[in-house]
Amino acid sequence: MPNYRSSLSCRDRLQRRAMMYSQIREFFARHDVLEVETPVFSQAGNTDPAISSVVADFSSEPVAQSSVNLSDNSAENLFNQSINKSDKRYAHSSPEFAMKRLLANGSGAIYQICKVFRKEECGRLHNPEFSMLEWYRPGLTYHQLMDEIAELLISLGLTAAVERISYAELFQLHLKLDVLNASVNDLKACAIENGLEVIGFDDDYDAWTSMLLANLIEPKLGADNPVFVFDYPVSQAALASVREIDNVAERFELYINGIEVANGYQELTDANAYRERFEQDNKKRILSGLPEINMDNRLLNDLSSGLPDSSGVALGLDRLLMILSGEKNIKEVMSFDFQNI
Amino acid sequence: MATYNTSEFKSGMKIMQDGDPCTIVENEFVKPGKGQAFSRVKIKNLKTGRVVDRTFKSGESVEAADVMESELQYLYSDGEFWNFMDAETFEQIAADKTAVGDSYKWLKEQDLVTLTLWNGVPIAVTPPNFVTLTVTETDPGLKGDTASGGGKPATLETGAVVRVPLFIEIGESLKIDTRSGEYVSRAKD
């Protein structure tokens, strides 16, 4: 294989990934979590305005007019006509929706290792096609799920201990900022105080907090031990449930060596709540001039009788492998990166 | 007016910032799993040489700078302007004091140097990494001294003053690293 810069041989690097996968599968077998597989391509997409989905074209090739008899209503001909229609499908940006449909249908605890796809994401820590480990635990709270993730990290030999800090405490500790009650002006002032020069963020609270976190806090996060940051601003709930009394979203992220590795939720359970979040996403999309995305009605339908109380998490396996093997660039842990295939 | 979107950013790209032409030294794509993507960019101002870190929200556009570099031969200076010539077209171009900056110390007639032109006007002059210059003034050399020891100042033909070993004498040709302004060795003829 060409273009390998690292000192590791081709075989060594392939073995590292294979070993990590087999340890992960062993871990879930011990915990009685079932491995599942769901389709990559779906008619519905992810409405999240910050994610741009890849669209694949499944339309059939044009057929010569004479070969299709429009007055023939035989089943075969109707089928031919239906697959002649345009059929564009979203490549999943995470297997979340399909896995939640399985949960709603009574699958119990499940996990999946799969490739996911996100447009326009390329860099030291990003490849438009990457590997994800996603798992769902009916009956566990998000804090109990964090315990289980810590156990997984320990079983991979990554760490002996994992820390936890709330989003509010994190900003207080590093930036002396009451982030949940801060105005956009407070966030701007904080950026200036810390010498940041920032362009184009307007008055978007979520963009400012993300930027402050990524520029000023993230590089130091998880340097000693992996750390969970939990309880995010409600405006960044994504599909996590909201704890009204504290006005926070029960969402967490895992950081190791300054790298974001996983994102998890206390899952929303109510179909209407999902519908509202999707609608909000699409409103934001329209405001930012992004295309609207068809919401997943099959998911909403399957959730109509509710999702069992569950927690779930998605973990980036390439990044985890980078950390396990001390690599600085995601390319180094892939057989071929996006520019090289 | 040509513009670049943040998704096109890459090192070496020339952009306008604060009214000055700049070059992107380093560009890092940053994106939280949930949330706004942005570019963390190291930008060097080509007029002042100052480097700043700047964070651009993804999707922002910046004006492209019409900057090109060309290799020209240094001819002479009249004290106010430094004159250069394209060795192929014989076209001449003059750079002022601001553009030449501290590089004047290393400009020797006939040497090839790099001129950075913005909208066709020189804004920076970069000498070769190594130049050979003759010593015009220095204290008498000490017999038997090796490269060790404290050294002494020597004035070179361009007016530059560098620290040289004690054994160096007037009239000798020296190889100088223009990036650090340090003596490297005696020039081999």
Side-chain angles (χ1 to χ4, degrees):
Chain A
M1 286 189 226
N3 287 333
Y4 277 128
R5 297 158 303 278
S6 157
S7 56
L8 274 184
S9 77
C10 172
R11 177 87 184 164
D12 282 345
R13 82 175 53 217
L14 295 172
Q15 262 171 346
R16 285 197 170 198
R17 184 179 287 265
M19 203 218 282
M20 182 176 80
Y21 282 15
S22 91
Q23 287 171 325
I24 291 170
R25 290 195 159 100
E26 237 169 71
F27 177 86
F28 284 116
R30 277 204 308 278
H31 286 71
D32 205 18
V33 180
L34 184 68
E35 179 163 17
V36 298
E37 221 178 58
T38 56
V40 168
F41 299 103
S42 166
Q43 295 171 65
N46 187 345
T47 53
D48 185 337
I51 287 182
S52 180
S53 295
V54 174
V55 178
D57 191 351
F58 280 76
S59 318
S60 60
E61 299 299 330
V63 175
Q65 214 45 9
S66 60
S67 70
V68 182
N69 181 350
L70 293 174
S71 62
D72 176 1
N73 280 338
S74 71
E76 193 193 357
N77 196 39
L78 283 175
F79 177 74
N80 282 339
Q81 285 179 30
S82 72
I83 61 163
N84 277 338
K85 281 195 308 197
S86 149
D87 190 354
K88 300 215 167 144
R89 299 197 170 216
Y90 298 99
H92 63 185
S93 58
S94 106
E96 180 171 3
F97 294 171
M99 290 181 80
K100 283 181 171 170
R101 288 176 68 188
L102 294 180
L103 284 175
N105 285 304
S107 67
I110 48 174
Y111 79 97
Q112 174 160 209
I113 292 175
C114 63
K115 280 292 183 74
V116 297
F117 308 86
R118 297 180 184 186
K119 265 197 214 177
E120 295 156 24
E121 300 193 7
C122 220
R124 189 175 69 86
L125 297 173
H126 295 267
N127 195 67
E129 166 179 348
F130 63 102
S131 297
M132 189 171 261
L133 164 64
E134 185 147 331
W135 80 98
Y136 291 89
R137 282 298 231 153
L140 292 194
T141 65
Y142 69 126
H143 276 285
Q144 288 170 320
L145 181 59
M146 287 185 240
D147 292 338
E148 186 166 78
I149 299 165
E151 237 184 282
L152 173 67
L153 298 178
I154 291 164
S155 80
L156 292 172
L158 191 72
T159 182
V162 181
E163 294 164 18
R164 244 173 254 209
I165 185 168
S166 78
Y167 189 87
E169 286 170 329
L170 186 72
F171 274 76
Q172 196 57 255
L173 180 71
H174 289 270
L175 302 177
K176 308 267 173 291
L177 189 71
D178 177 8
V179 68
L180 297 180
N181 299 307
S183 66
V184 171
N185 280 336
D186 296 335
L187 301 175
K188 286 181 187 171
C190 177
I192 292 168
E193 215 175 286
N194 286 282
L196 293 181
E197 296 189 26
V198 180
I199 294 183
F201 282 73
D202 304 323
D203 284 340
D204 183 344
Y205 170 90
D206 297 320
W208 278 95
T209 50
S210 284
M211 190 279 299
L212 290 174
L213 178 63
N215 275 339
L216 299 174
I217 304 178
E218 207 171 277
K220 305 170 208 158
L221 265 184
D224 304 323
N225 289 313
V227 58
F228 286 109
V229 179
F230 63 93
D231 287 355
Y232 277 66
V234 172
S235 54
Q236 294 165 33
L239 296 176
S241 65
V242 168
R243 194 165 71 243
E244 306 277 351
I245 185 166
D246 300 312
N247 197 34
V248 290
E250 292 182 325
R251 193 188 128 201
F252 64 87
E253 298 248 9
L254 169 66
Y255 288 92
I256 311 174
N257 295 346
I259 299 174
E260 178 195 331
V261 176
N263 172 59
Y265 310 141
Q266 182 70 44
E267 300 291 350
L268 277 182
T269 55
D270 177 52
N272 287 327
Y274 277 91
R275 185 186 303 276
E276 279 167 26
R277 301 275 170 98
F278 294 155
E279 281 168 356
Q280 280 171 14
D281 279 350
N282 269 329
K283 272 184 201 152
K284 281 187 206 157
R285 284 183 158 269
I286 293 166
L287 281 177
S288 334
L290 295 167
E292 249 185 290
I293 302 284
N294 299 335
M295 65 174 84
D296 194 338
N297 285 314
R298 288 183 179 80
L299 168 68
L300 295 177
N301 195 41
D302 282 354
L303 290 177
S304 59
S305 47
L307 194 71
D309 283 330
S310 306
S311 53
V313 62
L315 186 153
L317 288 173
D318 309 289
R319 290 187 181 177
L320 189 61
L321 191 53
M322 276 175 69
I323 293 160
L324 279 165
S325 40
E327 298 290 358
K328 296 278 174 261
N329 195 310
I330 199 164
K331 281 183 194 176
E332 304 293 339
V333 299
M334 299 188 147
S335 55
F336 300 101
D337 67 84
F338 199 65
Q339 309 300 341
N340 192 26
I341 192 85
Chain B
M1 184 181 73
T3 60
Y4 294 120
N5 188 277
T6 53
S7 62
E8 300 171 280
F9 280 11
K10 56 172 188 255
S11 50
M13 184 173 267
K14 306 292 190 291
I15 58 171
M16 292 300 296
Q17 289 285 288
D18 314 319
D20 280 348
C22 298
T23 184
I24 293 179
V25 180
E26 215 177 280
N27 172 48
E28 189 174 11
F29 173 76
V30 182
K31 179 168 185 324
K34 299 285 167 194
Q36 180 62 51
F38 49 89
S39 294
R40 197 151 46 200
V41 194
K42 237 181 226 326
I43 299 167
K44 183 181 180 185
N45 184 313
L46 289 170
K47 286 172 95 173
T48 63
R50 201 169 85 94
V51 176
V52 295
D53 289 308
R54 212 158 262 185
T55 301
F56 293 80
K57 186 169 158 179
S58 279
E60 285 294 304
S61 289
V62 298
E63 192 185 334
D66 175 12
V67 171
M68 52 177 281
E69 287 181 344
S70 60
E71 210 170 55
L72 300 174
Q73 196 171 41
Y74 171 57
L75 296 178
Y76 66 95
S77 167
D78 56 17
E80 193 179 353
F81 287 99
W82 280 254
N83 295 281
F84 302 85
M85 182 182 72
D86 186 316
E88 276 173 27
T89 63
F90 304 112
E91 205 179 311
Q92 291 192 20
I93 192 163
D96 65 12
K97 249 182 192 149
T98 328
V100 175
D102 283 343
S103 297
Y104 78 89
K105 289 192 285 193
W106 315 118
L107 294 181
K108 186 178 159 188
E109 291 169 14
Q110 314 301 326
D111 274 1
L112 282 177
V113 303
T114 305
L115 257 70
T116 307
L117 306 170
W118 174 41
N119 298 329
V121 178
I123 51 166
V125 175
T126 314
N129 290 342
F130 298 101
V131 292
T132 300
L133 297 171
T134 306
V135 178
T136 54
E137 211 184 304
T138 191
D139 289 342
L142 288 175
K143 289 269 175 343
D145 183 55
T146 59
S148 64
K152 59 178 181 179
T155 307
L156 308 175
E157 57 183 306
T158 55
V161 178
V162 294
R163 280 202 85 72
V164 299
L166 296 176
F167 57 77
I168 296 296
E169 297 185 45
I170 293 174
E172 284 192 88
S173 286
L174 308 183
K175 184 178 176 186
I176 309 293
D177 187 330
T178 62
R179 294 159 298 183
S180 58
E182 281 168 9
Y183 163 88
V184 179
S185 64
R186 280 173 162 152
K188 295 172 196 83
D189 295 318

